């Protein structure tokens, strides 16, 4: 199975939204909701897709996963200088591709892109009360940075030093 990550364009808007909604629906069904389905609609994410913030992972040509990749995060990382970092949000994979390979490829893409941009860290956050998700990021090689409250969210923040060459995730 060949996985290729590339920027999502406006023609991919419904696909990106569909992957996000599918992941959110599955999480809700499992009793561990993460995102509200309404915040993942095509209309809601249109500006971010148009701005080039989403990428798609395709497995043998079929859209399998998506991720938001940005160079600033004023909500969850506002207290940390961000000019040396890139930020990852909304990593989502279609259920039929679950298992870590697609999400790992997306995260590796973020590491390589960040390094190519001359930035040192990839930063992300997740619900602090989600030990399984936190474990996934830790196993990949992200290091715990701190906790933060932002509005109704209490998140654990993680970073990966791309210049230290500590890549541990699936190859």
């Amino acid at each position: 199975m060949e996985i290729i990550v590339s920027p999502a364009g406006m023609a991919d808007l419904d696909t990106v939204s569909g992957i996000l909604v599918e992941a959110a629906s599955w999480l809700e069904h499992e009793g561990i909701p993460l995102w509200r389905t309404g915040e993942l609609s095509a209309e809601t994410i249109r500006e971010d897709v148009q701005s080039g913030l989403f990428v798609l992972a395709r497995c043998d040509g079929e859209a399998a996963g998506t991720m938001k990749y940005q160079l600033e995060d004023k909500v969850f990382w506002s207290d940390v200088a961000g000019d040396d970092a890139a930020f990852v949000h909304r990593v989502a994979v279609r259920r039929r591709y679950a298992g870590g390979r697609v999400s790992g490829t997306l995260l590796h893409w973020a590491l390589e892109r960040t390094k190519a941009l001359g930035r040192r860290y990839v930063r992300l956050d997740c619900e602090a009360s989600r030990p399984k998700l936190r474990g996934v990021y830790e196993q990949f090689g992200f290091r715990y940075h701190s906790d933060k409250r932002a509005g109704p969210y209490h998140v654990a923040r993680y970073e990966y030093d791309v210049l230290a060459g500590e890549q541990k995730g699936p190859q």
Side-chain angles (χ1 to χ4, degrees):
M1 173 170 64
E2 181 183 31
I3 304 171
I4 296 173
V5 178
S6 60
M10 287 308 290
D12 301 309
L13 177 62
D14 289 334
T15 301
V16 170
S17 175
I19 293 169
L20 292 168
V21 168
E22 179 181 327
S25 297
W26 180 81
L27 287 166
E28 188 169 324
H29 179 265
E30 293 295 304
I32 49 173
L34 182 59
W35 306 307
R36 293 181 190 99
T37 304
E39 65 185 348
L40 309 173
S41 71
E43 279 309 307
T44 305
I45 66 168
R46 176 180 298 282
E47 188 176 318
D48 287 343
V49 172
Q50 193 167 21
S51 297
L53 298 181
F54 276 94
V55 296
L56 271 175
R58 296 183 193 279
C59 291
D60 298 328
E62 183 179 340
T66 191
M67 170 181 72
K68 186 176 178 182
Y69 178 86
Q70 57 196 100
L71 298 180
E72 65 179 8
D73 182 342
K74 295 179 181 178
V75 175
F76 295 104
W77 291 88
S78 60
D79 59 325
V80 177
D83 57 348
D84 63 344
F87 304 88
V88 169
H89 293 283
R90 300 197 190 281
V91 178
V93 175
R94 289 197 187 282
R95 291 308 311 147
R96 69 179 280 212
Y97 293 103
R101 192 150 176 230
V102 173
S103 59
T105 299
L106 284 163
L107 291 172
H108 277 293
W109 180 93
L111 299 179
E112 293 302 316
R113 178 75 177 133
T114 302
K115 193 172 187 176
L117 291 171
R119 294 185 176 224
R120 182 165 190 161
Y121 299 103
V122 174
R123 292 183 172 136
L124 56 78
D125 61 83
C126 65
E127 280 291 324
S129 63
R130 308 270 310 259
K132 188 173 179 182
L133 182 57
R134 292 176 70 165
V136 167
Y137 292 131
E138 290 167 5
Q139 184 177 13
F140 188 87
F142 281 87
R143 292 188 183 200
Y144 173 77
H145 181 280
S146 58
D147 281 2
K148 175 156 175 112
R149 284 209 175 274
Y153 302 102
H154 177 220
V155 297
R157 301 187 303 181
Y158 286 87
E159 67 183 10
Y160 192 111
D161 185 341
V162 300
L163 300 181
E166 298 175 6
Q167 214 159 310
K168 294 180 184 174
Q171 299 295 320

